[in-house]
Amino acid sequence: TANQPTKLGQDPAGQATLIGSARATLRTFVGNGYLGPRNYTDPDDGLEKYTFGFEILTKPEEILDLSDVDRDDHKAAPLRIRLFRKGSIRIVDVDLDVY
């Protein structure tokens, strides 16, 4: 990652650093209005959830499951992220009750 003085270890701490960098970048997209909050149904458990614009699904411990080939290639665990675009309002339905 940028401004990282040494190489990242292929361990949960190194993976957590990558996740933290992704989180910081995604917060920028929330701040500039590209990503935004919403309620959604989690496809993994079917539960209704709230997000403020993104969900990082990767856990730092997932790096412990890397294959020997991926370790030899100096890979990290893949980052799995759900993004939720903020969008814009262009249409509104209005219900009027006239008495």
Side-chain angles (χ1 to χ4, degrees), residues 29-50:
F29 286 100
V30 171
N32 70 19
Y34 183 72
L35 300 177
R38 71 170 62 179
N39 293 321
Y40 74 102
T41 302
D42 187 322
D44 295 330
D45 58 21
L47 297 175
E48 183 83 8
K49 295 183 179 178
Y50 170 82

Side-chain angles (χ1 to χ4, degrees), residues 68-83:
D68 289 338
V69 171
D70 285 346
R71 283 193 176 282
D72 290 344
D73 287 342
H74 304 277
K75 291 183 178 180
L79 295 180
R80 294 173 296 111
I81 302 170
R82 290 185 182 133
L83 301 177

Side-chain angles (χ1 to χ4, degrees), residues 15-32:
Q15 186 74 30
T17 299
L18 290 175
I19 292 169
S21 292
R23 182 174 287 110
T25 300
L26 292 168
R27 284 183 179 149
T28 301
F29 286 100
V30 171
N32 70 19

Side-chain angles (χ1 to χ4, degrees), residues 7-18:
K7 295 178 183 177
L8 292 176
Q10 276 182 321
D11 58 10
Q15 186 74 30
T17 299
L18 290 175

